[in-house]
Amino acid sequence: MQRILESEGFKTKVAENGADGVEIFKTYNPDLIFMDVRMPVMDGLDATKKIRQLENGKTVKIVGVSAHVFKDEIESVLQSGMNDFIKKPYHFNDIYKCLQKQLNAKFIFHDNIEIMNPEYQRITVEMFKKLDEKLLLEIKEYIENLNNKKLLEIVERVSLHEKELSNVLYFYFSNYKVTEVYNVLKQIC
């Protein structure tokens, strides 16, 4: 999540546990906290309650994050003082929607690239044959680092030479299907 946020220009700090999170909040004063519900030393629910008691603690947006919370438990997460909840594994889209909702953040996506019909979306090794190895390795690295911003920039670069491939990549990246692209690239690189 840190890589995704930083790739979009957000400044981040990471706490190893809930107690560290409370201490960081005292000096950092963030606009939003993604709080893992289950952490060592102090869990996210207790950390949220402590932060809410601090100066500026009532105004900060806190979003719970967990893979192990059932639907009925989400209510207790929100009652602890969290503003929202994201279930792991999360997708880029989950994070963007949350940032839009909680911070009124606006994101501009590369809508100027024509999106192909879904039936043409099957990605193959053949599609990448005309790209040089340096560019292929760059795409692979950005996928490994979850750098969606750079992936969409790559789509624009590819569109100068390979319009069909750029359309397919745009479809996969904008629909958070990077694993499929990565699996094809592993066969090439």
Side-chain angles (χ1 to χ4, degrees), residues 75-161:
E75 187 60 38
S76 68
V77 166
L78 296 174
Q79 287 177 357
S80 75
M82 293 186 188
N83 301 89
D84 207 347
F85 180 80
I86 295 178
K87 186 167 175 53
K88 291 181 190 177
Y90 42 77
H91 302 281
F92 290 114
N93 198 33
D94 298 332
I95 296 168
Y96 293 132
K97 282 182 182 177
C98 181
L99 292 169
Q100 286 175 328
K101 180 179 173 184
Q102 298 302 325
L103 298 178
N104 201 26
K106 303 285 185 229
F107 295 96
I108 300 171
F109 297 100
H110 302 274
D111 294 336
N112 58 338
I113 299 171
E114 176 188 338
I115 299 176
M116 299 173 63
N117 293 327
E119 63 263 22
Y120 299 110
Q121 298 311 319
R122 187 160 184 273
I123 196 156
T124 65
V125 170
E126 291 297 316
M127 293 176 167
F128 290 95
K129 293 257 183 201
K130 293 183 181 177
L131 297 184
D132 65 42
E133 188 174 349
K134 182 181 177 207
L135 185 57
L136 294 173
L137 290 171
E138 228 178 305
I139 295 169
K140 192 174 174 215
E141 177 188 341
Y142 294 146
I143 291 172
E144 288 169 348
N145 292 323
L146 299 174
N147 193 333
N148 201 42
K149 183 178 180 181
K150 290 290 187 185
L151 288 172
L152 292 174
E153 287 174 12
I154 289 275
V155 169
E156 289 188 16
R157 286 175 36 206
V158 170
S159 73
L160 300 174
H161 309 289

